[in-house]
Amino acid sequence: MTTTRTETALIRELGRVDYEPTFAAMRAFTDARTTETRDELWIVEHPPVFTLGLAADRGHLLAGADAIPVVQTDRGGEVTFHGPGQVVIYLLMDLRRNKPGGKLYARQFVHKIEQAIINVLAAYNLAGERIDGAPGIYIAGGPDKGAKIAALGLKVRGNGCTYHGVSLNVAMDLAPFSWINPCGYSGLKTVDMRSMGVVAPLAEVQRALAHELTVLLDVSEANSAAGAPQAADA
């Protein structure tokens, strides 16, 4: 039986939510989805939390890190920090689904996400760049060249369905980044848009990044919804 699939993603604006129940909800959504389930992007802001990737070395948690909860996850990557003033967008997508640009491979998926961040930063006159072997986006020039401003961590299941996502630092308390080796790199400087001289409302940057992701990931114009997903939405 042939089914018609919509290519329009649903964007959920969940506000400030705790990390652990959101993590559980992402897994539950992915467990329950079918080939007809609409892709979703979840825009969130988290209270302070450190998260660990599957192969993360807890030795990258340094002095002071015990002041903030630490959560083990099933994403890729090492340790990172989420906190207020940071855009976090979770990408619950089916990479094997036919889209106008064709099916996606994981490497292409990462590249498009990183490009979305670069494009958003450029709109605020900030130059971001990739660094080979180090997922995320870094400042491209000036005295802060090489400082990290955005992180990326994903889970891609064998059926091509993804969760976890991307974070972009907008206006944060950056101190907790000094309590870890961000993404496993000792001494890696972490910045936000504010420390780079850009003052922008968090909601504005959330919308800008979500829009850019929908464009680059070929999921058409996105609807929006508030609140957590319900079974009827799957």
Side-chain angles (χ1 to χ4, degrees), residues 13-91:
E13 299 181 27
L14 303 184
R16 186 176 295 186
V17 291
D18 288 337
Y19 182 84
E20 288 191 273
T22 309
F23 176 30
M26 285 191 287
R27 287 181 295 177
F29 175 90
T30 306
D31 288 343
R33 71 178 301 163
T34 71
T35 56
E36 298 179 33
T37 302
R38 182 190 298 192
D39 290 334
E40 297 196 6
L41 280 68
W42 295 0
I43 303 174
V44 306
E45 184 186 19
H46 289 308
V49 63
F50 292 123
T51 69
L52 302 172
L54 270 176
D57 180 353
R58 295 184 75 92
H60 292 307
L61 295 165
L62 309 177
D66 57 359
I68 290 176
V70 178
V71 178
Q72 178 66 57
T73 79
D74 60 354
R75 63 167 172 78
E78 276 282 350
V79 60
T80 195
F81 171 67
H82 296 309
Q86 180 187 63
V87 174
V88 177
I89 299 183
Y90 294 125
L91 298 143

Side-chain angles (χ1 to χ4, degrees), residues 14-15 64 76 88 106 115 130 133 137 160 192 202:
L14 303 184
V88 177
Q115 191 60 49
R130 300 175 181 86
I137 296 299
D192 59 9
L202 184 69

Side-chain angles (χ1 to χ4, degrees), residues 48-145:
V49 63
F50 292 123
T51 69
L52 302 172
L54 270 176
D57 180 353
R58 295 184 75 92
H60 292 307
L61 295 165
L62 309 177
D66 57 359
I68 290 176
V70 178
V71 178
Q72 178 66 57
T73 79
D74 60 354
R75 63 167 172 78
E78 276 282 350
V79 60
T80 195
F81 171 67
H82 296 309
Q86 180 187 63
V87 174
V88 177
I89 299 183
Y90 294 125
L91 298 143
L92 296 100
M93 302 190 67
D94 181 352
L95 300 187
R96 296 184 181 180
R97 175 171 292 163
N98 284 313
K99 296 181 174 62
K103 298 180 182 181
L104 284 173
Y105 293 98
R107 183 172 295 181
Q108 296 172 309
F109 187 51
V110 169
H111 192 274
K112 286 175 179 286
I113 295 168
E114 291 177 334
Q115 191 60 49
I117 301 164
I118 291 171
N119 292 353
V120 169
L121 291 174
Y124 291 96
N125 298 312
L126 293 175
E129 65 179 358
R130 300 175 181 86
I131 294 179
D132 288 344
I137 296 299
Y138 302 80
I139 298 301
D144 291 308
K145 178 176 172 59

Side-chain angles (χ1 to χ4, degrees), residues 132-191:
D132 288 344
I137 296 299
Y138 302 80
I139 298 301
D144 291 308
K145 178 176 172 59
K148 192 163 192 173
I149 194 167
L152 180 67
L154 297 166
K155 175 69 174 180
V156 182
R157 289 189 175 173
N159 63 358
C161 293
T162 74
Y163 53 104
H164 295 293
V166 61
S167 61
L168 171 60
N169 305 335
V170 177
M172 304 180 67
D173 174 6
L174 294 171
F177 285 107
S178 68
W179 306 340
I180 60 174
N181 291 326
C183 303
Y185 292 96
S186 177
L188 176 63
K189 184 176 182 180
T190 304
V191 296

